Amino acid sequence: SEETMARAYLQGVEISASQFLDIFHHYDNDGNGYIEGKELQNFIKELQQARKQAGLVKQMKAFVEEYEKNTDGKIGIVELVQILPTEENFLLFFRQQLQSCTEFMQAWRTYDADHSGYIEADELKNFLKDLLQQAKKPYDEKKLEEYTQTTLKIFDSNNDGKLCLSEMARLLPDQENFLLKFQVGDGVKMERKEFNKIFELYDKDRNGYMDENELDALLKDLCEKNKKVLEVNKIATYKSAIMALSDGGKLYRTELALVLCAEDI
């Protein structure tokens, strides 16, 4: 049954990418993208039993302790990736390859080949393939396809079959990921109309793109306005990462919109 299957997977020394997804979906009964409440209690209980045989890794132990106390806790798929021993943990390995937000943005720029503002399945596949080659990890076409589909399913939160910048950015380590701070609701992300006004305001010479100084001025004001969310001493980091999306130092409207605009819902 699915029940025994999920349990058996949990015992595995390594779990393949697709088994990992099966486990997640098995415990996320209501399909809302989180394991929470009752689901989480079951998961923790079964995780502990299963890992007794395979040895409870230090990370897992800490996780179990934290969540046992935490009755209103919920765990998302990205957190789960960090504890379950997926094969050579392909998502964590992804993080090791892209240590900084700037590297991530450069990669985005390379792989969003059609400049659609999204990474589609075939672009994602090229991205993963290059990462695996860089890391000298062996893979075959079938594995690559599995990784691609799994990555899509994990991060494609609105199920449109492609990843936008902020979905993909969930792969970055949290402390690096200032893109998570640019979220709707924090007051940083803005509607298209407001974004256009701001773009025009800071594009002082009206040449249709921002240079580094114009972006600097915009970021300073954003930090001022959103002190709780953005940190003034990180402006240089924000700036170099966002400029990695630019075209030879010219940051056009569509690129900046990836960072600042609320998704067109």
Side-chain angles (χ1 to χ4, degrees), residues 41-105:
Q41 287 164 344
N42 289 338
F43 174 67
I44 296 283
K45 199 170 74 222
E46 292 178 18
L47 178 66
Q48 273 177 305
Q49 286 165 353
R51 299 310 296 175
K52 268 203 191 89
Q53 288 91 341
L56 206 58
V57 193
K58 214 166 60 226
Q59 256 178 315
M60 250 187 243
K61 211 174 142 173
F63 163 81
V64 166
E65 281 160 9
E66 182 193 337
Y67 278 94
E68 267 183 320
K69 300 190 291 281
N70 193 342
T71 45
D72 57 350
K74 58 182 185 174
I75 175 169
I77 202 153
V78 182
E79 285 109 348
L80 191 60
V81 166
Q82 293 168 44
I83 350 152
L84 285 184
T86 41
E87 39 187 357
E88 305 193 351
N89 209 328
F90 85 103
L91 290 168
L92 290 184
F93 125 73
F94 204 25
R95 286 187 166 183
Q96 288 144 15
Q97 299 295 312
L98 297 172
Q99 298 265 293
S100 72
C101 220
T102 305
E103 283 178 307
F104 170 76
M105 298 285 221

Side-chain angles (χ1 to χ4, degrees), residues 138-200:
Y139 68 91
D140 56 26
E141 199 46 45
K142 199 162 147 278
K143 265 280 152 263
L144 187 59
E145 190 50 47
E146 186 192 336
Y147 287 167
T148 306
Q149 288 313 316
T150 307
T151 307
L152 255 181
K153 285 189 188 121
I154 289 176
F155 294 102
D156 180 11
S157 43
N158 62 354
N159 292 322
D160 60 2
K162 50 191 183 181
L163 301 177
C164 68
L165 188 67
S166 54
E167 286 174 330
M168 186 91 164
R170 288 166 55 202
L171 279 167
L172 283 163
D174 289 348
Q175 68 283 3
E176 250 309 317
N177 192 356
F178 75 84
L179 284 165
L180 286 178
K181 299 189 165 136
F182 286 82
Q183 290 298 356
V184 188
D186 288 334
V188 184
K189 283 233 171 182
M190 47 190 89
E191 294 306 316
R192 184 74 54 179
K193 220 162 62 192
E194 189 192 349
F195 169 77
N196 286 335
K197 264 208 314 254
I198 283 181
F199 190 89
E200 273 136 36

